[in-house]
């Protein structure tokens, strides 16, 4: 039986660009799927299709048990969406923005006011509740937009890079909110460029590239595919990089990666702590002074680089991503009818 979010064979082109090339997804109810991929991979386009903001050229999708193509208005009543950019009315206060969203979803004025107050407290916006949103900082607008997506506690949530622009404290707070939602049965599809975020929140992870799902699994499963452990060494002086590289090359099971600006060298190895002791001894013999050394498992960043050829980047680049949130408030209003 399909999950709370299900897609099969989604295809979408923009001129000569094939943004989606047969995307398949299946997200069980009450879980978090992290959607990762480099710029232009198709993450935001996938979200826009699943939230009825974009019509695919082919394929099918079901969200909360409702066919996305046949019954888009019903889908909108069952989802919450927070896009890449805050979609709030800057001339309304924070409180008025949230009350407006509640009443668009046919909440009574009293209930909408009460819910707005709860969310303003939850997102640390109570002190600014009665100021126009145009006076908010970027991070405050982001939090207000996220609060608006949660006004009606939808069974299915889509968050497209939700913590972009948030400081570490507010990011941690949002993680706690997400965990509470999922603990209460909400299903979440999350796109993010913060790999630590996907590692922390996602039950399952999909890596997309060139409009296709190229890998899927839990964080541990994807890390296991990358394989092995890594020795990381930070040398004290730049002129010690070369001898340190020579030492590590003798132990490594692959190429030694060097970040010269941080004087850090990394190499995949096998052998665990015993091997690490041998590396330390040989570095000392060569007269290499080190500031730090450690043995670690592969990270999601290693997985990402292994699968896509480069590190995660800061923003989606499909060319249409910047326009998605122009439809955000309309989507909420249509869903509330």
């Amino acid at each position: 039986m399909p999950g709370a979010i299900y897609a099969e064979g989604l295809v979408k082109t923009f001129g000569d660009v094939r943004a989606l090339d047969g995307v398949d997804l299946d997200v069980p109810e009450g879980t978090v799927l992290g959607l990762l991929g480099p710029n232009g991979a198709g993450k935001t386009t996938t979200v826009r299709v699943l939230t009825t903001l974009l019509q695919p050229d082919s394929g099918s999708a079901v969200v909360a048990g409702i066919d996305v193509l046949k019954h888009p208005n019903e889908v909108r009543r069952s989802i919450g969406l927070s896009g890449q950019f805050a979609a709030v009315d800057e001339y309304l206060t924070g409180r008025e923005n949230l009350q407006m969203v509640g009443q668009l979803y046919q909440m009574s004025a009293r209930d909408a006011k009460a819910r707005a107050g709860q969310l303003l407290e939850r997102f640390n916006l109570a002190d600014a509740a009665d100021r126009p949103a145009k006076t908010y900082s970027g991070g405050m607008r982001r939090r207000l937009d996220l609060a608006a997506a949660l006004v009606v506690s939808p069974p299915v949530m889509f968050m497209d890079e939700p913590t972009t622009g948030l400081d570490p404290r507010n990011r941690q707070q949002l993680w706690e909110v997400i965990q509470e939602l999922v603990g209460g049965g909400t299903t979440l599809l999350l796109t993010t460029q913060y790999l630590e975020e996907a590692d922390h929140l996602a039950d399952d992870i999909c890596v997309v590239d060139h409009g296709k799902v190229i890998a899927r699994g839990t964080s541990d499963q994807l890390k296991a595919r990358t394989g092995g452990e890594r020795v990381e060494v930070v040398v004290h002086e730049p002129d010690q990089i070369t001898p340190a590289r020579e030492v590590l090359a003798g132990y490594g099971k692959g190429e030694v990666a060097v970040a010269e600006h941080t004087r850090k060298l990394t190499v995949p190895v096998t052998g665990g702590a015993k091997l690490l002791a041998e590396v330390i001894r040989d570095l000392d013999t060569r007269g290499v002074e080190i500031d730090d050394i450690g043995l670690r498992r592969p990270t999601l960043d290693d997985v990402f680089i292994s699968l896509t050829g480069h590190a995660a980047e800061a923003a989606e680049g499909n060319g249409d991503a910047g326009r998605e949130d122009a439809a955000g408030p309309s989507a909420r209003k249509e869903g509330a009818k």
Side-chain angles (χ1 to χ4, degrees):
M1 183 176 178
I5 303 172
Y6 178 80
E8 184 174 358
L10 292 180
V11 173
K12 182 63 184 178
T13 58
F14 298 97
D16 295 332
V17 177
R18 200 170 179 86
L20 300 182
D21 192 12
V23 168
D24 298 328
L25 296 174
D26 192 357
V27 188
E29 185 176 343
T31 66
V32 180
L33 175 68
L35 201 60
L36 305 182
N39 287 354
K43 304 184 301 299
T44 293
T45 303
T46 300
V47 170
R48 294 184 68 194
V49 168
L50 293 172
T51 56
T52 78
L53 298 179
L54 192 65
Q55 187 91 2
D57 299 331
S58 61
S60 61
V62 175
V63 173
I66 307 164
D67 190 295
V68 171
L69 301 181
K70 294 179 180 177
H71 306 290
N73 285 339
E74 292 182 30
V75 170
R76 292 169 189 158
R77 296 188 186 100
S78 302
I79 65 173
L81 168 63
S82 176
Q84 285 185 1
F85 306 99
V88 299
D89 189 323
E90 63 179 12
Y91 293 101
L92 297 180
T93 67
R95 189 185 309 277
E96 288 168 343
N97 264 284
L98 298 184
Q99 288 180 200
M100 177 188 69
V101 172
Q103 290 182 281
L104 286 170
Y105 276 100
Q106 300 180 347
M107 295 174 69
S108 70
R110 181 178 179 178
D111 288 346
K113 183 177 180 180
R115 182 61 174 158
Q118 293 169 1
L119 290 168
L120 289 164
E121 289 286 349
R122 194 175 198 181
F123 284 89
N124 286 336
L125 291 170
D127 291 343
D130 298 310
R131 283 168 36 196
K134 65 181 179 181
T135 67
Y136 286 15
S137 67
M140 291 170 70
R141 289 191 186 202
R142 193 73 180 122
R143 282 181 277 150
L144 182 60
D145 182 67
L146 291 165
L150 297 174
V151 166
V152 293
S153 302
V156 179
M157 276 289 301
F158 294 87
M159 293 187 175
D160 196 6
E161 302 190 18
T163 58
T164 298
L166 297 185
D167 61 37
R169 181 175 65 86
N170 284 313
R171 183 176 298 141
Q172 181 65 45
Q173 182 187 40
L174 178 61
W175 288 2
E176 292 171 1
V177 170
I178 289 172
Q179 288 171 326
E180 288 175 16
L181 286 170
V182 176
T186 298
T187 304
L188 173 64
L189 189 149
L190 169 78
T191 79
T192 181
Q193 293 290 4
Y194 297 111
L195 301 184
E196 177 193 7
E197 188 163 88
D199 212 353
H200 187 80
L201 295 175
D203 298 291
D204 222 8
I205 294 170
C206 272
V207 182
V208 294
D209 200 13
H210 297 99
K212 296 181 178 180
V213 176
I214 60 173
R216 177 163 185 166
T218 65
S219 178
D220 285 342
Q221 287 169 342
L222 292 177
K223 290 172 185 177
R225 284 183 53 170
T226 304
E229 300 164 309
R230 269 82 171 142
V231 168
E232 286 186 349
V233 177
V234 178
V235 298
H236 188 64
E237 297 292 345
D239 61 6
Q240 295 177 324
I241 289 176
T242 297
R245 188 207 303 259
E246 292 170 356
V247 169
L248 292 178
Y251 291 94
K253 300 301 180 182
E255 185 177 350
V256 180
V258 178
E260 295 195 9
H261 64 293
T262 58
R263 309 183 308 283
K264 183 167 77 172
L265 300 90
T266 306
V267 65
V269 298
T270 57
K274 181 179 179 181
L275 178 137
L276 185 62
E278 294 174 4
V279 171
I280 293 171
R281 184 184 62 243
D282 283 359
L283 288 169
D284 185 59
T285 299
R286 290 289 300 270
V288 177
E289 185 177 354
I290 59 175
D291 289 343
D292 193 21
I293 187 168
L295 185 71
R296 66 168 176 80
R297 295 181 60 212
T299 65
L300 275 184
D301 205 17
D302 297 320
V303 173
F304 199 96
I305 292 171
S306 172
L307 292 170
T308 69
H310 52 82
E313 297 163 275
E316 182 72 27
N318 281 336
D320 62 320
R323 297 193 299 272
E324 76 171 297
D325 284 310
S330 297
R332 289 190 187 122
K333 291 174 185 177
E334 289 185 48
K337 290 179 182 178

